[in-house]
């Protein structure tokens, strides 16, 4: 099975790991399209494409128009000679169906009678303006199957008129650096001691609900429970959060150690006893997946999450934590109290989360799911294993 994959986010080498794992399956060959360069939204510079060190696939890296714009970018010129030589059996687009790059490759697929699949990430229903509504309609009508990264994505596809099969395919998470066991040196360096640490790792922005976290933990501290909050990361809300902690009288129990490099995120996570993700839905945003939940579960850490977006679906599917109604501080406090006061509950939910994280959300697991679904879309049987020595 030869698969042409279009994935702008694979400009980040780690995101190519999924395709490295897919190509380990018998009979799978991949041609991967990545922009030559991509404007980085988090800095003033640009990222330059490079191949994963373990890649065997063919990487095509043409320049794009509108670099940095997920919906509007498209490739300046397609290497048709290389595509014709590769002869893909299927085109898999990890782009939204209204995007220009999806239009570009769906037109290529139609012209060459190649089945195509797209992967939708949208989790809020939007009536798009013309011509994007037309692009979306054509992609939905023309695909062989579709993938959604959340339950909300699948519901949106139904509302948009998809009649072909649609499957939930989650984000894959690199869990090799996330594993159980405390990080005593990190806890000591951050002054966390032997308290029960309720942690957060990510951006300090209003939609993540960190002010709700402080408000929910304050009663526990005032009750005399040995609890600390550790918020790892940074952002526009940090000064306001520090002032809120002072106003609540819990400043000495709230820690802001700053951000950590990605390769230290697992160690930072292991300094927590509980992970909190109190996201709050906005008119134009709700939690799309909650990758940090899976990373916490890989460490055997239980979670408390709001019911924003995909968070409750993940927690229910794994049994890895407790859910509260977003913005409901008493409900949030009650959920935290149950875990803070019960080491047994923390252990059992952490273990359940870890079991599911390693089974369903690793790169090999998601790669196997995608390969199986694509084979099914083509009616292709699983190749017999190679028994030659």
């Amino acid at each position: 099975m030869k698969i042409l994959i279009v994935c702008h986010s694979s400009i980040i080498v780690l995101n190519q790991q999924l395709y490295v794992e897919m190509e380990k399956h018998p009979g799978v060959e991949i041609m991967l399209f990545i922009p030559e360069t991509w404007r980085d939204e988090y800095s003033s510079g640009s990222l330059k494409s490079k191949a994963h060190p373990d890649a065997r696939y063919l990487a095509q890296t043409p320049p794009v128009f509108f670099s940095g714009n997920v919906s509007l970018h498209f490739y300046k010129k397609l290497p048709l000679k290389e595509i014709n030589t590769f002869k893909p059996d299927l085109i898999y687009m990890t782009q939204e169906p209204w995007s220009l790059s999806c239009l570009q490759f769906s037109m290529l697929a139609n012209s060459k009678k190649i089945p195509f699949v797209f992967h939708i990430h949208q989790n809020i229903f939007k009536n798009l303006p013309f011509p994007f509504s037309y692009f979306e309609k054509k992609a939905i009508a023309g695909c062989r199957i579709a993938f959604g990264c959340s339950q909300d994505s699948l519901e949106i596809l139904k509302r948009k008129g998809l009649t072909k099969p649609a499957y939930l395919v989650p984000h894959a998470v690199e869990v090799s650096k996330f594993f159980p066991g405390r990080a005593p040196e990190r806890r000591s360096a951050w002054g966390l001691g032997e308290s029960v640490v309720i942690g957060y790792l990510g951006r300090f922005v209003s939609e993540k609900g960190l002010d709700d976290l402080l408000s929910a933990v304050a009663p526990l501290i005032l009750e005399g429970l040995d609890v600390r909050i550790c918020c790892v990361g940074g952002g526009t809300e940090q000064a306001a959060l520090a002032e809120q902690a002072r106003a609540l009288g819990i400043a000495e129990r709230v820690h802001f150690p700053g951000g950590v490099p990605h390769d230290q995120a697992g160690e930072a996570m292991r300094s927590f006893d509980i992970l909190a993700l109190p996201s709050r839905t906005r008119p134009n945003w709700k939690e799309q997946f909650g990758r940090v939940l899976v990373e916490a579960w890989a460490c055997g850490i239980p979670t408390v999450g709001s019911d924003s977006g995909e968070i409750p679906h993940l927690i229910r599917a794994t049994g890895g934590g407790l859910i509260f109604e977003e913005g409901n501080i008493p409900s949030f406090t009650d959920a935290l109290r149950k875990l803070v006061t019960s080491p047994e509950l923390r252990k059992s939910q952490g273990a359940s989360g870890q079991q599911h994280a390693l089974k369903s959300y690793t790169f090999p697991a998601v790669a196997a799911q995608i390969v199986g679904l694509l084979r099914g879309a083509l009616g292709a049987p699983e190749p017999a294993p190679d028994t030659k020595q």
Side-chain angles (χ1 to χ4, degrees):
M1 179 173 62
K2 294 185 176 182
I3 313 168
L4 189 159
I5 299 176
V6 186
C7 181
H8 78 276
S9 65
S10 284
I11 194 81
I12 299 172
V13 173
L14 176 62
N15 292 339
Q16 297 179 35
Q17 183 66 41
L18 180 64
Y19 311 124
V20 170
E21 297 295 337
M22 286 175 61
E23 207 166 32
K24 291 179 181 179
H25 287 254
V28 173
E29 297 179 49
I30 289 173
M31 174 179 280
L32 177 63
F33 271 77
I34 315 168
E36 179 183 43
T37 59
W38 189 257
R39 183 174 56 80
D40 183 8
E41 64 178 312
Y42 298 109
S43 72
S44 58
S46 292
L47 302 173
K48 185 170 177 59
S49 62
K50 56 182 178 180
H52 191 288
D54 299 327
R56 292 190 292 111
Y57 46 73
L58 299 169
Q60 302 293 330
T61 59
V64 296
F65 291 106
F66 306 115
S67 172
N69 191 308
V70 174
S71 297
L72 296 182
H73 82 276
F74 64 98
Y75 292 85
K76 293 183 178 181
K77 185 178 180 181
L78 297 182
L80 295 178
K81 180 179 178 180
E82 288 80 359
I83 293 172
N84 289 334
T85 299
F86 182 64
K87 296 181 179 178
D89 299 305
L90 182 142
I91 296 178
Y92 170 36
M93 293 169 284
T94 69
Q95 313 295 144
E96 300 293 338
W98 66 82
S99 65
L100 293 185
S101 57
C102 185
L103 173 69
Q104 187 176 30
F105 280 89
S106 64
M107 290 175 63
L108 174 69
N110 289 333
S111 69
K112 294 184 175 294
K113 310 296 184 193
I114 302 171
F116 75 91
V117 177
F118 63 80
H119 202 148
I120 186 173
H121 299 83
Q122 179 190 8
N123 64 348
I124 296 178
F125 185 89
K126 299 176 183 177
N127 286 311
L128 299 171
F130 185 85
F132 299 101
S133 57
Y134 177 75
F135 301 159
E136 179 183 61
K137 183 177 180 180
K138 294 292 288 184
I140 288 174
C143 69
R144 178 68 60 92
I145 61 174
F147 299 155
C149 72
S150 67
Q151 294 289 347
D152 289 329
S153 297
L154 297 182
E155 289 300 318
I156 287 170
L157 286 172
K158 290 180 183 179
R159 290 183 63 185
K160 294 283 187 176
L162 179 73
T163 58
K164 309 291 177 56
Y167 302 93
L168 177 63
V169 177
H171 290 297
V173 176
E174 176 52 70
V175 299
S176 64
K177 296 185 183 299
F178 296 87
F179 47 83
R182 267 196 169 190
E185 292 183 1
R186 178 76 66 169
R187 287 177 68 102
S188 176
W190 286 349
L192 302 177
E194 294 303 313
S195 302
V196 177
V197 177
I198 300 169
Y200 169 86
L201 196 157
R203 298 176 298 138
F204 295 4
V205 291
S206 62
E207 60 266 27
K208 290 296 186 176
L210 290 176
D211 53 338
D212 286 350
L213 174 60
L214 269 59
S215 295
V217 175
L220 304 181
I221 295 173
L222 297 177
E223 289 170 14
L225 294 175
D226 186 9
V227 178
R228 293 182 185 272
I229 302 172
C230 183
C231 297
V232 179
T236 56
E237 298 291 303
Q238 182 164 338
L241 292 168
E243 177 56 35
Q244 181 187 3
R246 285 191 290 272
L248 290 169
I250 61 171
E252 72 283 358
R253 290 270 167 174
V254 180
H255 303 259
F256 298 104
V260 295
H262 182 74
D263 61 358
Q264 296 178 26
E267 183 186 13
M269 187 75 75
R270 291 192 299 277
S271 71
F272 304 160
D273 296 292
I274 301 164
L275 177 90
L277 190 59
S279 302
R280 295 187 301 223
T281 300
R282 297 289 187 257
N284 62 346
W285 182 90
K286 60 181 172 180
E287 194 67 60
Q288 193 177 77
F289 184 69
R291 189 186 307 268
V292 71
L293 294 172
V294 180
E295 293 171 342
W297 293 327
C299 295
I301 295 170
T303 61
V304 175
S306 74
D307 57 359
S308 175
E310 191 65 5
I311 294 173
H313 300 297
L314 282 173
I315 292 178
R316 291 190 188 105
T318 63
L322 301 174
I323 305 161
F324 69 95
E325 179 186 10
E326 62 175 278
N328 185 328
I329 303 303
S331 174
F332 193 4
T333 299
D334 288 344
L336 291 170
R337 183 184 289 107
K338 288 176 182 177
L339 283 170
V340 167
T341 58
S342 176
E344 295 80 10
L345 183 60
R346 294 201 300 271
K347 183 177 179 180
S348 64
Q349 291 193 338
S352 180
Q354 185 193 21
Q355 177 185 1
H356 284 82
L358 298 181
K359 178 182 177 182
S360 301
Y361 300 109
T362 65
F363 281 110
V366 176
Q369 181 187 11
I370 292 174
V371 168
L373 290 171
L374 296 183
R375 287 195 198 281
L378 292 173
E382 181 75 28
D386 186 358
T387 58
K388 295 180 181 179
Q389 299 296 324

